[in-house]
Amino acid sequence: MSFVAELERHLGVSLITDPDITSTYSRDQAPFASYSPAAAVLLARTTEEISKALAFCSERKIPVVTRGAGSGLSGGANADSKSLVISLEKMNQIIEIDSANQLARVQAGVINLDLDTAVKEFGMAYLPDPASRDWSTLGGNVATNAGGMCCVKYGVTSHHVRALKVVLSSGEVIEVGKATKKFVTTLDLMHLFIGSEGTLGLICEATIQLARAPLESSVMVLGVENFAEIVDVLTCFSRDLDLSAFEFFSQQALDKVVSHRGHTVPFKTETAFYALLEFEHSSPGILDKAMALFEHCVDLGWVVDGVISQSQSQAKNLWKLREDISETLWQWQPYKNDISVRISRMADFLEDVDQLVMEQYPDFEVIWYGHIGDGNLHLNILKPEAFSVDQFHSKCVNVSEEIGQLLAKYEGSVSAEHGVGLLKKDYLHYSRSAVEMDMMRSIKRAFDPNYIMNPGKLFD
Ligand code: 2HG
Ligand code: ZN
């Protein structure tokens, strides 16, 4: 590509151009999202280098795709053959751990779990726990405002970011936000970058809010026959317990993790759905309280059977029943939906979607699971063997349209935690008004007048 040699000279470093390697840097985990190997990959080592590269690309209108670990599920990190990919994987230093203020300053390429591990010895934790936390980067988590299993108690990534260092498309470096908790000084630019999926600027450093490490916890798995009753169970438990997770999965999801991962079923009784909840041992009587709530839910006929962890290793094993679903389903080339509606409307919404899929797409197997405590449902549609990938994909696109319409009716969101990227772009209008879309376009223009930052993502 024409710009590569010139950029190498300009930066004084070599870029990766071997298509076998660039192709692995040119896409995330999203199935069905288009990409082609980028013209080149820069493994950035300093903010100055990024600044020079962006100023160079801006002048020549070269598209730039920023990359963390590539764990995304919406094609937000996908590139094309004209682009420069800037990977942050080498910028993986924890710059500072400030225990007095429970803060950490990190380069964007630090892995989520590595930060959590590093701050443990100070009795602190980094709490947002996306399913990819073992390998996703904090920069990527911030750029997508990643969620996770424990958001019900701790919130999403944006609740834990205090400040960011961002390189703008012009090459200018700005600091947005403040390490202090309070700084009411007009417009909050930092939150514009959080969740903007690399379209406004390149996040190269973050100041992160830490917290005290969670206490030991117990996990319960409860068998529930009707989805609406899972919501009743959630309401009942969360009135009395400070839950750190409330997840759910269907019997079909359980069947698949049990038969493909060798996990054991939580108990013998089969039910249509399972709720998994977790709470910390924050007071002496908490286990008795949890057992009383369980019995209350059984008496009311909501819960059919259940188990409570007796050790940390049993808790871990129960968690695997939920955590391993996504990876287990890859073999069926699933079409993924990551959607949210208000908790009180979830049961009706789920029924409507089930009916829609059953009536119009009877060949599809639908697997439900998700972070029900946040109203976040993961709907994975599995590819029937008889369908080609293209046939399956085009049918799923129709399903997404219909789900989008339902989401608009239910005032839900077409993306809850995986972002919009390429895959959800066509459905964004179901969750955001035309006026909002226009305002977002104006903001994009203000930050990125030459339209080089992750072009083609989120909206046109
Ligand atoms: C999870 O909650 C992840 O397990 C992945 O967000 C969801 O693969 C999916 O659909
Ligand atoms: Zn999830």
Side-chain angles (χ1 to χ4, degrees):
M1 240 356 225
S2 50
F3 74 83
V4 176
E6 202 189 337
L7 181 57
E8 284 181 324
R9 274 198 304 280
H10 184 65
L11 299 177
V13 298
S14 299
L15 302 178
I16 302 171
T17 52
D18 174 348
D20 285 344
I21 306 176
T22 53
S23 62
T24 64
Y25 281 92
S26 300
R27 62 170 306 186
D28 62 18
Q29 296 275 294
F32 311 113
S34 61
Y35 77 101
S36 30
V41 176
L42 167 65
L43 300 182
R45 286 172 195 274
T46 63
T47 302
E48 293 68 42
E49 198 173 62
I50 295 171
S51 160
K52 276 173 96 172
L54 286 186
F56 176 98
C57 290
S58 222
E59 225 165 82
R60 292 160 185 78
K61 297 200 167 46
I62 299 162
V64 174
V65 179
T66 310
R67 182 183 179 80
S71 61
L73 287 166
S74 298
N78 285 17
D80 66 19
S81 59
K82 294 193 181 78
S83 339
L84 171 72
V85 168
I86 301 185
S87 163
L88 276 296
E89 72 185 48
K90 301 286 180 207
M91 290 180 60
N92 59 359
Q93 298 305 306
I94 297 174
I95 303 163
E96 181 192 3
I97 295 174
D98 170 356
S99 30
N101 292 295
Q102 294 195 316
L103 290 175
R105 198 152 61 86
V106 299
Q107 288 187 312
V110 169
I111 306 291
N112 179 313
L113 187 64
D114 290 349
L115 175 63
D116 190 44
T117 308
V119 300
K120 260 202 179 80
E121 66 172 290
F122 303 94
M124 296 187 292
Y126 175 60
L127 297 168
D129 59 344
S132 58
R133 71 182 311 221
D134 292 5
W135 62 293
S136 60
T137 62
L138 287 162
N141 290 176
V142 174
T144 56
N145 197 8
M149 312 278 175
C150 291
C151 294
V152 68
K153 178 161 183 180
Y154 298 120
V156 294
T157 304
S158 64
H159 300 121
H160 304 262
V161 181
R162 291 269 161 255
L164 297 173
K165 186 186 273 188
V166 180
V167 188
L168 299 177
S169 64
S170 60
E172 236 167 308
V173 181
I174 59 167
E175 309 238 0
V176 284
K178 282 265 176 284
T180 56
K181 269 195 186 153
K182 290 183 170 174
F183 69 103
V184 181
T185 49
T186 74
L187 298 191
D188 180 353
L189 296 183
M190 181 183 81
H191 280 94
L192 282 180
F193 290 98
I194 302 176
S196 66
E197 301 186 41
T199 60
L200 299 184
L202 190 152
I203 297 164
C204 56
E205 223 177 271
T207 303
I208 298 289
Q209 179 69 63
L210 304 167
R212 70 150 177 79
L215 305 169
E216 199 179 307
S217 56
S218 289
V219 173
M220 272 181 162
V221 175
L222 310 174
V224 181
E225 214 36 79
N226 298 305
F227 185 83
E229 286 166 352
I230 296 194
V231 179
D232 294 333
V233 174
L234 168 63
T235 313
C236 174
F237 268 86
S238 47
R239 237 188 335 243
D240 279 354
L241 287 188
D242 192 14
L243 296 174
S244 48
F246 194 96
E247 298 283 313
F248 94 110
F249 44 92
S250 63
Q251 173 64 43
Q252 287 96 321
L254 179 67
D255 273 348
K256 289 195 164 32
V257 278
V258 167
S259 54
H260 292 269
R261 295 275 160 154
H263 299 332
T264 23
V265 290
F267 37 78
K268 289 258 157 58
T269 327
E270 277 195 8
T271 48
F273 298 103
Y274 298 86
L276 180 151
L277 59 92
E278 184 183 64
F279 55 91
E280 291 174 32
H281 296 179
S282 50
S283 63
I286 198 138
L287 285 171
D288 293 340
K289 206 188 243 180
M291 286 313 291
L293 288 167
F294 166 70
E295 275 152 26
H296 179 66
C297 291
V298 172
D299 288 347
L300 289 173
W302 297 338
V303 168
V304 178
D305 205 346
V307 61
I308 181 162
S309 60
Q310 301 298 323
S311 65
Q312 289 307 292
S313 80
Q314 194 187 359
K316 252 192 179 151
N317 288 337
L318 290 173
W319 259 118
K320 282 189 185 143
L321 298 173
R322 163 65 185 91
E323 287 172 343
D324 289 356
I325 297 171
S326 176
E327 225 174 296
T328 306
L329 298 182
W330 279 115
Q331 58 194 290
W332 286 276
Q333 296 173 282
Y335 184 88
K336 291 175 177 298
N337 287 281
D338 157 51
I339 49 196
S340 60
V341 291
R342 202 190 277 218
I343 292 167
S344 54
R345 308 190 78 183
M346 263 187 316
D348 290 341
F349 174 75
L350 188 133
E351 210 177 298
D352 278 357
V353 175
D354 261 346
Q355 200 167 335
L356 171 93
V357 179
M358 244 160 24
E359 273 167 18
Q360 302 196 29
Y361 312 96
D363 310 313
F364 289 173
E365 188 180 2
V366 170
I367 308 284
W368 287 102
Y369 58 106
H371 317 285
I372 199 166
D374 308 318
N376 179 182
L377 302 163
H378 292 311
L379 163 69
N380 278 221
I381 304 174
L382 308 190
K383 187 179 89 56
E385 253 176 58
F387 278 63
S388 72
V389 170
D390 287 347
Q391 263 176 332
F392 175 61
H393 182 236
S394 53
K395 274 215 157 196
C396 286
V397 167
N398 294 338
V399 183
S400 282
E401 271 307 325
E402 307 214 26
I403 293 178
Q405 286 162 19
L406 274 179
L407 281 164
K409 181 177 131 198
Y410 280 88
E411 299 171 324
S413 178
V414 295
S415 166
E417 59 170 5
H418 295 169
V420 169
L422 282 175
L423 287 187
K424 304 300 167 195
K425 180 176 157 177
D426 291 343
Y427 315 109
L428 188 56
H429 67 97
Y430 287 119
S431 294
R432 309 296 295 264
S433 69
V435 177
E436 276 187 294
M437 299 282 286
D438 274 349
M439 288 172 105
M440 291 197 279
R441 286 188 189 99
S442 307
I443 291 168
K444 165 83 177 159
R445 261 194 307 278
F447 280 102
D448 181 25
N450 289 344
Y451 205 65
I452 65 159
M453 302 304 297
N454 213 7
K457 311 291 166 36
L458 314 191
F459 44 77
D460 290 321

